[in-house]
Amino acid sequence: MSKITVGCRLPNGLVLRLQDGKGGEKRVTLRGQNADMNGALYIQPTHCGYTEVGKDFWDEWIAKHSDFAPVVSGAIFAEATESKARGAAKERVKDKTGLEGASAEDSGLKKSED
């Protein structure tokens, strides 16, 4: 079975599910942008987690969910190899997923002058 790399820019990842038509289910858990932090407070510059997924599973899942908002926005995407996925993630760094942390400046907060 051939594999591809799926990039997921959502903070905690996502579980992809496919019904097999016999009452069973196939699942793949995508790693999110926080997957490799190991307790650190710093998020990788590409803001992306990478998961190797079977190409057949991905093709079937994407055919059924091509209108899913994170797919449409590019928050979830697939490439043939991890190095290509990392390159694609670098191109998407400035794209917003809507799940970024709040910025103090954007929220109108001011530093206290005690």
XYZ file of all heavy atoms in Angstrom:
860
model
N 0.846 -1.169 0.000
C 0.000 0.000 0.000
C 0.894 1.236 0.000
O 1.810 1.361 0.791
C -0.895 -0.012 1.239
C -1.646 1.258 1.400
S -2.777 1.529 2.775
C -2.553 0.272 3.936
N 0.589 2.173 -0.896
C 1.390 3.387 -0.939
C 0.923 4.356 0.143
O -0.227 4.350 0.564
C 1.301 4.036 -2.322
O -0.024 4.420 -2.606
N 1.837 5.185 0.573
C 1.575 6.142 1.659
C 1.783 7.553 1.142
O 2.550 7.795 0.213
C 2.546 5.898 2.818
C 2.483 4.512 3.410
C 1.469 4.462 4.491
C 1.521 3.100 5.166
N 0.589 3.020 6.256
N 1.096 8.481 1.783
C 1.291 9.902 1.550
C 1.452 10.569 2.909
O 1.231 9.939 3.936
C 0.108 10.533 0.784
C -1.180 10.348 1.583
C -0.022 9.959 -0.614
C -2.326 11.176 1.077
N 1.828 11.825 2.911
C 1.935 12.577 4.162
C 0.849 13.637 4.194
O 0.711 14.428 3.269
C 3.321 13.237 4.297
O 4.304 12.216 4.287
C 3.422 14.028 5.584
N 0.078 13.617 5.268
C -0.984 14.604 5.452
C -0.506 15.624 6.475
O -0.050 15.266 7.558
C -2.293 13.929 5.924
C -3.366 14.977 6.203
C -2.782 12.928 4.884
N -0.592 16.878 6.110
C -0.263 17.974 7.013
C -1.542 18.482 7.659
O -2.565 18.619 6.990
N -1.476 18.738 8.959
C -2.640 19.231 9.691
C -2.214 20.448 10.508
O -1.385 20.344 11.403
C -3.206 18.140 10.598
S -4.630 18.666 11.560
N -2.786 21.602 10.186
C -2.440 22.847 10.855
C -3.365 23.155 12.028
O -3.270 24.209 12.642
C -2.458 23.987 9.842
C -1.427 23.761 8.734
C -1.411 24.843 7.672
N -1.187 26.126 8.283
C -2.055 27.138 8.219
N -3.185 27.032 7.579
N -1.778 28.279 8.806
N -4.261 22.235 12.363
C -5.128 22.411 13.532
C -4.317 22.116 14.788
O -3.462 21.224 14.773
C -6.336 21.484 13.432
C -7.175 21.638 12.159
C -8.267 20.582 12.110
C -7.756 23.032 12.063
N -4.538 22.821 15.879
C -3.689 22.658 17.068
C -3.608 21.235 17.608
O -2.523 20.749 17.908
C -4.325 23.586 18.094
C -5.062 24.597 17.299
C -5.525 23.884 16.067
N -4.727 20.555 17.738
C -4.734 19.234 18.373
C -4.922 18.088 17.403
O -5.135 16.951 17.812
C -5.816 19.172 19.444
C -5.500 20.127 20.570
O -4.356 20.250 20.978
N -6.503 20.825 21.049
N -4.871 18.344 16.122
C -5.052 17.287 15.145
C -6.522 16.977 14.915
O -7.399 17.762 15.270
N -6.766 15.804 14.336
C -8.121 15.441 13.952
C -8.173 13.939 13.713
O -7.189 13.346 13.270
C -8.470 16.178 12.657
C -9.880 16.119 12.141
C -10.807 16.903 13.065
C -9.951 16.704 10.746
N -9.301 13.323 13.991
C -9.488 11.909 13.689
C -10.324 11.812 12.419
O -11.447 12.327 12.361
C -10.193 11.160 14.836
C -10.443 9.708 14.456
C -9.361 11.241 16.110
N -9.768 11.174 11.389
C -10.497 10.941 10.148
C -11.153 9.571 10.253
O -10.499 8.600 10.650
C -9.550 10.963 8.949
C -8.652 12.186 8.793
C -7.818 12.046 7.527
C -9.454 13.461 8.784
N -12.409 9.466 9.867
C -13.146 8.206 9.978
C -13.795 7.863 8.650
O -14.317 8.738 7.966
C -14.237 8.317 11.032
C -13.721 8.600 12.394
C -14.847 8.801 13.358
N -14.295 9.129 14.664
C -15.010 9.208 15.746
N -16.304 8.974 15.718
N -14.453 9.512 16.886
N -13.780 6.566 8.329
C -14.473 6.050 7.153
C -15.245 4.804 7.538
O -14.678 3.884 8.138
C -13.471 5.665 6.061
C -12.929 6.752 5.164
C -11.893 6.178 4.221
C -14.035 7.429 4.387
N -16.523 4.761 7.185
C -17.325 3.566 7.400
C -16.968 2.562 6.302
O -16.811 2.932 5.150
C -18.812 3.900 7.329
C -19.258 4.947 8.333
C -19.063 4.485 9.771
O -19.275 3.337 10.100
N -18.638 5.407 10.624
N -16.855 1.274 6.665
C -16.499 0.272 5.670
C -17.704 -0.386 5.007
O -17.562 -1.261 4.161
C -15.574 -0.793 6.270
C -16.243 -1.632 7.338
O -17.457 -1.469 7.570
O -15.538 -2.454 7.953
N -18.923 0.025 5.385
C -20.127 -0.528 4.789
C -20.596 -1.824 5.418
O -21.620 -2.379 5.049
N -19.835 -2.338 6.390
C -20.181 -3.588 7.069
C -20.360 -3.359 8.565
O -20.266 -4.284 9.355
C -19.082 -4.619 6.841
C -18.839 -4.942 5.394
C -17.649 -5.848 5.227
C -17.308 -5.984 3.758
N -16.055 -6.700 3.564
N -20.575 -2.124 8.939
C -20.729 -1.794 10.354
C -19.418 -1.465 11.039
O -19.389 -1.102 12.199
N -18.320 -1.572 10.333
C -17.002 -1.250 10.893
C -16.559 0.138 10.479
O -17.228 0.825 9.706
N -15.437 0.524 11.019
C -14.931 1.867 10.764
C -13.409 1.836 10.721
O -12.765 1.175 11.525
C -15.413 2.779 11.894
C -14.976 4.191 11.800
C -15.520 5.022 12.942
O -14.989 4.912 14.060
O -16.482 5.764 12.712
N -12.849 2.572 9.771
C -11.405 2.781 9.724
C -11.154 4.179 10.269
O -11.900 5.107 9.973
C -10.879 2.704 8.289
C -11.037 1.374 7.632
C -10.430 1.455 6.246
C -11.287 0.730 5.250
N -10.862 0.904 3.880
N -10.082 4.313 11.059
C -9.730 5.613 11.645
C -8.250 5.908 11.422
O -7.420 5.019 11.513
C -9.957 5.619 13.146
C -11.362 5.552 13.580
C -11.423 5.578 15.081
N -12.799 5.525 15.530
C -13.185 5.838 16.728
N -12.297 6.212 17.630
N -14.447 5.778 17.058
N -7.977 7.177 11.207
C -6.607 7.673 11.161
C -6.575 8.943 12.003
O -7.403 9.828 11.815
C -6.150 7.985 9.716
C -4.815 8.697 9.714
C -6.093 6.720 8.880
N -5.641 9.011 12.942
C -5.499 10.198 13.775
C -4.394 11.072 13.198
O -3.236 10.654 13.117
C -5.158 9.809 15.228
O -6.207 8.970 15.727
C -5.023 11.040 16.101
N -4.773 12.272 12.779
C -3.791 13.229 12.250
C -3.145 13.968 13.404
O -3.822 14.419 14.327
C -4.472 14.241 11.325
C -5.149 13.703 10.080
C -5.722 14.862 9.271
C -4.195 12.877 9.243
N -1.849 14.089 13.332
C -1.112 14.870 14.327
C -1.313 16.349 14.019
O -1.226 16.758 12.874
C 0.368 14.521 14.261
C 0.638 13.061 14.571
C 2.060 12.716 14.275
N 2.883 13.546 15.144
C 3.910 13.124 15.832
N 4.282 11.875 15.742
N 4.583 13.938 16.595
N -1.568 17.127 15.049
C -1.762 18.558 14.874
C -0.486 19.339 15.095
O 0.584 18.766 15.343
N -0.586 20.640 15.061
C 0.608 21.484 15.182
C 1.272 21.381 16.548
O 2.449 21.676 16.690
C 0.277 22.928 14.847
C -0.625 23.616 15.841
C -0.900 25.052 15.452
O -0.386 25.543 14.462
N -1.711 25.728 16.226
N 0.575 20.939 17.568
C 1.158 20.807 18.905
C 1.762 19.423 19.154
O 2.247 19.158 20.254
C 0.104 21.085 19.975
C -0.417 22.503 19.903
O 0.239 23.387 19.390
N -1.614 22.713 20.400
N 1.742 18.548 18.188
C 2.130 17.146 18.376
C 3.570 16.947 18.835
O 3.844 16.060 19.631
C 1.903 16.363 17.093
N 4.496 17.752 18.378
C 5.908 17.537 18.679
C 6.462 18.521 19.698
O 7.660 18.717 19.791
C 6.738 17.621 17.395
C 6.429 16.481 16.454
O 6.122 15.383 16.948
O 6.495 16.683 15.241
N 5.607 19.127 20.477
C 6.080 20.160 21.399
C 6.779 19.600 22.631
O 7.606 20.272 23.221
C 4.927 21.070 21.807
C 4.457 21.928 20.650
S 3.132 23.031 21.084
C 3.852 24.003 22.372
N 6.454 18.381 23.052
C 7.086 17.760 24.222
C 7.109 18.692 25.437
O 8.107 18.821 26.123
C 8.506 17.304 23.892
C 8.521 16.210 22.865
O 7.619 15.370 22.830
N 9.513 16.212 22.004
N 6.007 19.375 25.681
C 5.918 20.247 26.842
C 6.471 21.643 26.632
O 6.404 22.471 27.523
N 7.022 21.913 25.451
C 7.593 23.228 25.185
C 6.485 24.250 24.924
O 5.360 23.890 24.595
C 8.519 23.166 23.974
N 6.803 25.501 25.068
C 5.840 26.564 24.803
C 5.962 27.104 23.388
O 5.197 27.955 22.981
C 6.035 27.713 25.800
C 5.761 27.341 27.251
C 6.092 28.518 28.156
C 4.324 26.912 27.447
N 6.923 26.617 22.644
C 7.194 27.120 21.305
C 6.554 26.196 20.271
O 6.695 24.981 20.337
C 8.704 27.190 21.075
C 9.094 27.589 19.684
C 8.937 28.902 19.257
C 9.603 26.657 18.798
C 9.291 29.279 17.975
C 9.966 27.032 17.512
C 9.803 28.338 17.112
O 10.145 28.713 15.850
N 5.840 26.751 19.311
C 5.256 25.975 18.225
C 6.175 26.079 17.014
O 6.706 27.141 16.714
C 3.853 26.495 17.877
C 2.935 26.303 19.080
C 3.289 25.779 16.661
C 1.552 26.886 18.903
N 6.337 24.972 16.315
C 7.218 24.933 15.145
C 6.879 26.047 14.162
O 5.716 26.425 14.028
C 7.067 23.600 14.429
C 7.450 22.406 15.249
C 7.165 21.119 14.489
O 6.817 21.117 13.329
N 7.329 20.012 15.168
N 7.887 26.552 13.444
C 7.643 27.644 12.498
C 6.603 27.329 11.426
O 5.923 28.215 10.956
C 9.013 27.874 11.860
C 9.985 27.342 12.837
C 9.290 26.222 13.550
N 6.460 26.061 11.038
C 5.475 25.742 10.002
C 4.075 25.561 10.573
O 3.117 25.433 9.826
C 5.858 24.455 9.247
O 5.950 23.378 10.180
C 7.152 24.618 8.491
N 3.932 25.528 11.899
C 2.621 25.400 12.529
C 1.848 24.216 11.963
O 0.697 24.353 11.572
C 1.796 26.675 12.357
C 2.459 27.898 12.877
N 2.509 28.190 14.216
C 3.109 28.898 12.253
C 3.155 29.325 14.385
N 3.529 29.768 13.213
N 2.476 23.048 11.903
C 1.856 21.910 11.241
C 2.329 20.596 11.850
O 3.480 20.470 12.248
C 2.228 21.961 9.754
S 1.256 20.882 8.723
N 1.430 19.617 11.910
C 1.787 18.255 12.289
C 1.726 17.386 11.044
O 0.978 17.676 10.106
N 2.515 16.325 11.009
C 2.603 15.472 9.816
C 2.294 14.030 10.185
O 2.799 13.523 11.179
C 4.003 15.558 9.200
C 4.403 16.987 8.902
C 5.189 17.707 9.792
C 3.947 17.620 7.757
C 5.529 19.024 9.538
C 4.277 18.934 7.499
C 5.075 19.634 8.384
O 5.393 20.932 8.135
N 1.459 13.381 9.368
C 1.062 12.002 9.604
C 1.141 11.230 8.298
O 0.632 11.692 7.269
C -0.393 11.936 10.125
O -0.518 12.800 11.257
C -0.769 10.515 10.518
N 1.768 10.071 8.339
C 1.804 9.198 7.167
C 0.483 8.430 7.110
O 0.070 7.810 8.082
C 2.988 8.236 7.268
C 3.285 7.532 5.973
C 4.544 6.700 6.075
O 4.484 5.620 6.693
O 5.575 7.145 5.552
N -0.186 8.486 5.965
C -1.516 7.899 5.798
C -1.525 7.068 4.519
O -0.888 7.435 3.527
C -2.588 9.027 5.695
C -3.963 8.470 5.414
C -2.594 9.864 6.954
N -2.264 5.964 4.535
C -2.420 5.166 3.324
C -3.108 5.984 2.233
O -4.112 6.646 2.488
N -2.564 5.942 1.037
C -3.107 6.743 -0.061
C -4.556 6.361 -0.367
O -5.388 7.232 -0.624
C -2.241 6.605 -1.305
C -2.691 7.516 -2.434
C -1.704 7.517 -3.562
C -2.087 8.394 -4.735
N -3.396 8.928 -4.828
N -4.872 5.076 -0.328
C -6.244 4.636 -0.607
C -7.219 5.218 0.409
O -8.302 5.690 0.047
C -6.344 3.112 -0.604
C -5.569 2.486 -1.745
O -5.295 3.191 -2.743
O -5.234 1.291 -1.642
N -6.842 5.197 1.697
C -7.696 5.767 2.747
C -7.903 7.252 2.476
O -9.026 7.747 2.509
C -7.067 5.558 4.129
C -7.877 6.173 5.245
C -8.827 5.419 5.910
C -7.700 7.498 5.617
C -9.599 5.982 6.929
C -8.457 8.077 6.624
C -9.410 7.310 7.290
N -6.808 7.980 2.242
C -6.907 9.421 2.021
C -7.780 9.732 0.808
O -8.642 10.609 0.865
C -5.524 10.051 1.849
C -5.611 11.504 1.509
C -5.426 12.084 0.287
C -5.956 12.574 2.388
N -5.625 13.432 0.355
C -5.947 13.766 1.638
C -6.267 12.643 3.741
C -6.241 15.009 2.190
C -6.556 13.889 4.296
C -6.538 15.050 3.520
N -7.574 9.022 -0.304
C -8.350 9.289 -1.513
C -9.845 9.086 -1.265
O -10.669 9.886 -1.711
C -7.884 8.399 -2.666
C -6.506 8.783 -3.194
O -6.036 9.908 -2.896
O -5.893 7.950 -3.882
N -10.199 8.034 -0.544
C -11.606 7.777 -0.238
C -12.155 8.839 0.712
O -13.255 9.347 0.519
C -11.763 6.382 0.369
C -13.186 5.975 0.581
C -13.345 4.561 1.141
O -12.369 3.787 1.147
O -14.470 4.254 1.588
N -11.378 9.178 1.744
C -11.836 10.172 2.717
C -12.019 11.535 2.064
O -13.041 12.198 2.270
C -10.862 10.268 3.893
C -11.381 11.136 4.989
C -12.175 10.752 6.029
C -11.191 12.550 5.121
N -12.486 11.846 6.809
C -11.899 12.947 6.276
C -10.510 13.503 4.393
C -11.917 14.277 6.708
C -10.534 14.824 4.817
C -11.232 15.196 5.972
N -11.042 11.957 1.265
C -11.110 13.296 0.655
C -12.240 13.364 -0.375
O -12.869 14.412 -0.537
C -9.752 13.737 0.066
C -9.688 15.258 -0.108
C -9.454 13.067 -1.246
C -9.620 16.032 1.145
N -12.539 12.270 -1.042
C -13.651 12.251 -2.000
C -14.977 12.503 -1.285
O -15.863 13.169 -1.825
C -13.690 10.920 -2.741
N -15.109 11.994 -0.071
C -16.344 12.159 0.692
C -16.404 13.469 1.463
O -17.474 13.921 1.851
C -16.508 11.001 1.679
C -16.764 9.688 0.980
C -16.920 8.565 1.967
C -17.198 7.276 1.221
N -17.398 6.148 2.116
N -15.245 14.079 1.729
C -15.202 15.263 2.596
C -14.483 16.448 1.958
O -13.917 17.281 2.663
C -14.519 14.904 3.921
C -15.212 13.822 4.670
N -14.865 12.504 4.543
C -16.253 13.858 5.527
C -15.652 11.766 5.300
N -16.512 12.559 5.903
N -14.521 16.557 0.657
C -13.792 17.635 -0.023
C -14.321 19.025 0.331
O -13.608 20.014 0.167
C -13.825 17.435 -1.532
O -15.172 17.444 -1.988
N -15.557 19.100 0.852
C -16.116 20.393 1.233
C -15.948 20.713 2.719
O -16.433 21.731 3.201
C -17.600 20.452 0.861
C -18.421 19.364 1.541
O -17.833 18.404 2.075
O -19.663 19.468 1.524
N -15.219 19.862 3.449
C -14.942 20.076 4.876
C -14.095 21.343 5.018
O -13.089 21.511 4.333
C -14.217 18.846 5.415
C -13.925 18.851 6.884
C -14.891 19.189 7.820
C -12.672 18.471 7.342
C -14.611 19.158 9.177
C -12.381 18.431 8.695
C -13.355 18.787 9.613
N -14.517 22.255 5.883
C -13.894 23.584 5.992
C -12.364 23.546 6.128
O -11.675 24.306 5.447
C -14.524 24.375 7.123
N -11.765 22.686 6.994
C -10.305 22.667 7.080
C -9.618 22.199 5.790
O -8.495 22.594 5.505
C -10.025 21.695 8.228
C -11.242 21.773 9.078
C -12.375 21.931 8.105
N -10.296 21.399 4.990
C -9.737 20.987 3.697
C -9.809 22.162 2.731
O -8.835 22.487 2.046
C -10.487 19.758 3.129
C -10.043 19.457 1.705
C -10.292 18.546 4.021
N -10.954 22.821 2.686
C -11.146 23.962 1.787
C -10.155 25.078 2.107
O -9.569 25.679 1.205
C -12.600 24.481 1.871
C -12.776 25.768 1.076
C -13.569 23.412 1.384
N -9.911 25.330 3.396
C -9.015 26.423 3.797
C -7.531 26.055 3.702
O -6.677 26.916 3.830
C -9.317 26.852 5.232
O -8.893 25.857 6.149
N -7.238 24.771 3.499
C -5.841 24.339 3.437
C -5.260 23.991 4.804
O -4.065 23.755 4.916
N -6.092 23.937 5.838
C -5.603 23.563 7.167
C -5.262 22.079 7.216
O -4.470 21.643 8.049
C -6.633 23.898 8.237
N -5.851 21.294 6.325
C -5.512 19.878 6.159
C -5.191 19.688 4.684
O -5.988 20.074 3.819
C -6.688 18.963 6.553
C -7.069 19.175 8.011
C -6.345 17.500 6.295
C -8.344 18.470 8.402
N -4.048 19.103 4.402
C -3.618 18.924 3.007
C -2.717 17.694 2.909
O -2.210 17.214 3.916
C -2.866 20.164 2.513
C -1.651 20.482 3.330
C -0.408 19.994 2.961
C -1.747 21.246 4.476
C 0.719 20.269 3.723
C -0.631 21.534 5.249
C 0.603 21.046 4.869
N -2.540 17.184 1.717
C -1.719 15.988 1.521
C -0.681 16.228 0.438
O -0.926 16.939 -0.531
C -2.603 14.804 1.141
N 0.472 15.604 0.650
C 1.560 15.622 -0.329
C 2.163 14.222 -0.412
O 1.982 13.407 0.484
C 2.638 16.631 0.082
C 2.197 18.066 0.068
C 1.948 18.625 -1.328
O 2.469 18.051 -2.316
O 1.232 19.622 -1.431
N 2.903 13.963 -1.469
C 3.463 12.633 -1.693
C 4.498 12.237 -0.648
O 4.597 11.069 -0.271
C 4.078 12.550 -3.092
N 5.275 13.196 -0.149
C 6.325 12.903 0.828
C 6.287 13.927 1.968
O 5.684 14.999 1.829
C 7.728 12.976 0.184
O 7.956 14.325 -0.246
C 7.860 12.011 -0.993
N 6.964 13.604 3.060
C 7.003 14.544 4.177
C 7.740 15.824 3.803
O 7.342 16.912 4.203
C 7.650 13.914 5.410
C 7.579 14.836 6.608
C 8.057 14.229 7.912
O 8.020 12.992 8.046
O 8.451 15.008 8.801
N 8.795 15.716 3.027
C 9.532 16.931 2.659
C 8.660 17.857 1.807
O 8.700 19.078 1.969
C 10.837 16.591 1.941
O 10.582 15.917 0.734
N 7.832 17.293 0.929
C 6.916 18.126 0.139
C 5.833 18.716 1.036
O 5.425 19.860 0.847
C 6.285 17.309 -0.981
C 7.246 17.001 -2.102
C 6.553 16.258 -3.223
C 7.551 15.968 -4.330
N 6.916 15.252 -5.447
N 5.376 17.957 2.020
C 4.373 18.465 2.955
C 4.947 19.611 3.783
O 4.265 20.605 4.043
C 3.870 17.350 3.868
N 6.208 19.481 4.207
C 6.845 20.567 4.957
C 6.960 21.828 4.099
O 6.750 22.943 4.571
C 8.207 20.134 5.481
C 8.092 19.154 6.633
C 9.459 18.815 7.235
N 9.307 17.842 8.282
C 8.972 18.125 9.542
N 8.755 19.376 9.905
N 8.841 17.174 10.451
N 7.282 21.657 2.834
C 7.349 22.800 1.915
C 5.988 23.457 1.735
O 5.863 24.683 1.747
N 4.955 22.627 1.592
C 3.592 23.156 1.449
C 3.158 23.888 2.721
O 2.479 24.912 2.654
C 2.626 22.025 1.123
N 3.557 23.372 3.873
C 3.209 24.019 5.146
C 3.889 25.383 5.252
O 3.278 26.347 5.745
C 3.604 23.130 6.316
N 5.130 25.482 4.791
C 5.830 26.776 4.824
C 5.103 27.808 3.982
O 5.063 28.985 4.325
C 7.264 26.608 4.337
C 8.166 25.951 5.348
C 9.578 25.810 4.830
C 10.421 25.032 5.816
N 11.769 24.769 5.308
N 4.512 27.367 2.868
C 3.763 28.294 2.017
C 2.476 28.767 2.687
O 1.952 29.817 2.351
C 3.419 27.617 0.690
C 4.628 27.316 -0.170
C 4.277 26.495 -1.402
O 3.073 26.278 -1.676
O 5.208 26.076 -2.095
N 1.975 27.989 3.643
C 0.705 28.310 4.301
C 0.879 28.978 5.664
O -0.102 29.210 6.359
C -0.095 27.020 4.497
C -0.591 26.395 3.226
C -1.252 25.053 3.524
N -2.017 24.535 2.423
C -1.524 23.762 1.472
N -0.254 23.425 1.480
N -2.306 23.325 0.500
N 2.082 29.287 6.070
C 2.338 29.811 7.418
C 1.490 31.034 7.740
O 0.973 31.162 8.846
C 3.842 30.129 7.604
C 4.086 30.974 8.830
C 4.640 28.846 7.706
N 1.310 31.933 6.809
C 0.557 33.162 7.092
C -0.945 32.987 6.946
O -1.701 33.869 7.332
C 1.051 34.291 6.195
C 2.478 34.678 6.526
C 2.929 35.889 5.791
C 4.369 36.160 6.175
N 4.832 37.445 5.816
N -1.396 31.843 6.420
C -2.829 31.579 6.304
C -3.385 31.262 7.683
O -2.803 30.486 8.436
C -3.097 30.409 5.355
C -2.670 30.691 3.930
O -2.455 31.865 3.592
O -2.551 29.726 3.153
N -4.519 31.830 8.010
C -5.141 31.621 9.322
C -6.068 30.417 9.291
O -6.769 30.186 8.312
C -5.940 32.858 9.739
C -5.110 34.118 9.838
C -4.249 34.093 11.050
C -3.506 35.400 11.195
N -2.573 35.397 12.257
N -6.074 29.645 10.384
C -7.007 28.532 10.531
C -8.216 28.953 11.351
O -9.234 28.283 11.339
C -6.351 27.337 11.241
O -6.014 27.713 12.579
C -5.135 26.840 10.502
N -8.094 30.062 12.090
C -9.160 30.501 12.977
C -8.985 29.957 14.391
O -9.764 30.265 15.277
N -7.947 29.149 14.605
C -7.704 28.564 15.926
C -6.381 29.042 16.529
O -5.876 28.437 17.465
C -7.712 27.034 15.821
C -9.041 26.447 15.354
C -8.906 24.960 15.103
C -10.131 26.716 16.375
N -5.859 30.121 16.007
C -4.620 30.682 16.555
C -4.904 31.305 17.915
O -6.032 31.704 18.203
C -4.052 31.765 15.628
C -3.540 31.250 14.305
C -4.649 30.957 13.304
O -5.766 31.455 13.467
O -4.396 30.201 12.372
N -3.867 31.412 18.727
C -4.006 32.064 20.016
C -4.288 33.548 19.837
O -3.945 34.145 18.815
N -4.934 34.134 20.812
C -5.268 35.550 20.751
C -4.019 36.394 20.963
O -3.159 36.072 21.772
C -6.305 35.897 21.807
N -3.931 37.468 20.249
C -2.837 38.417 20.392
C -3.291 39.539 21.319
O -4.399 40.065 21.171
C -2.468 38.988 19.024
O -1.673 40.134 19.165
N -2.460 39.913 22.267
C -2.814 40.982 23.202
C -3.073 42.290 22.459
O -4.014 43.016 22.770
C -1.708 41.170 24.233
N -2.248 42.591 21.462
C -2.424 43.838 20.712
C -3.731 43.843 19.935
O -4.447 44.832 19.893
C -1.250 44.055 19.752
C 0.060 44.355 20.444
C 1.101 43.286 20.150
O 0.927 42.508 19.207
O 2.091 43.242 20.882
N -4.045 42.704 19.309
C -5.279 42.621 18.528
C -6.515 42.648 19.419
O -7.607 42.991 18.966
C -5.297 41.352 17.678
C -4.220 41.365 16.599
O -3.696 42.452 16.297
O -3.908 40.283 16.072
N -6.357 42.287 20.679
C -7.496 42.253 21.604
C -7.721 43.590 22.298
O -8.663 43.719 23.085
C -7.270 41.174 22.673
O -7.116 39.917 22.073
N -6.843 44.545 22.071
C -6.986 45.852 22.697
C -6.487 45.904 24.125
O -6.769 46.851 24.857
N -5.764 44.895 24.565
C -5.226 44.878 25.929
C -3.995 45.775 26.015
O -3.207 45.868 25.074
C -4.859 43.448 26.337
C -6.021 42.462 26.382
C -5.501 41.069 26.689
C -7.026 42.874 27.428
N -3.827 46.413 27.164
C -2.678 47.281 27.371
C -1.898 46.778 28.573
O -2.475 46.237 29.523
C -3.125 48.711 27.609
C -3.818 49.298 26.390
C -4.261 50.709 26.646
C -5.011 51.223 25.434
N -5.528 52.541 25.643
N -0.608 46.986 28.553
C 0.249 46.575 29.644
C -0.038 47.438 30.888
O -0.153 48.660 30.796
C 1.716 46.720 29.252
C 2.671 46.140 30.236
C 4.083 46.174 29.706
C 5.010 45.554 30.708
N 6.359 45.463 30.214
N -0.135 46.781 32.016
C -0.393 47.484 33.272
C 0.834 48.260 33.701
O 1.956 47.784 33.573
C -0.759 46.453 34.350
O -0.912 47.099 35.585
N 0.634 49.453 34.227
C 1.755 50.283 34.680
C 1.713 50.410 36.192
O 1.525 51.486 36.739
C 1.690 51.632 33.994
C 1.843 51.559 32.505
C 1.783 52.919 31.857
O 1.983 53.940 32.538
O 1.507 52.966 30.653
N 1.905 49.302 36.886
C 1.871 49.311 38.362
C 3.098 49.902 38.949
O 4.165 49.866 38.722
C 1.689 47.896 38.910
C 0.270 47.404 38.642
O -0.587 48.227 38.310
O 0.049 46.200 38.770
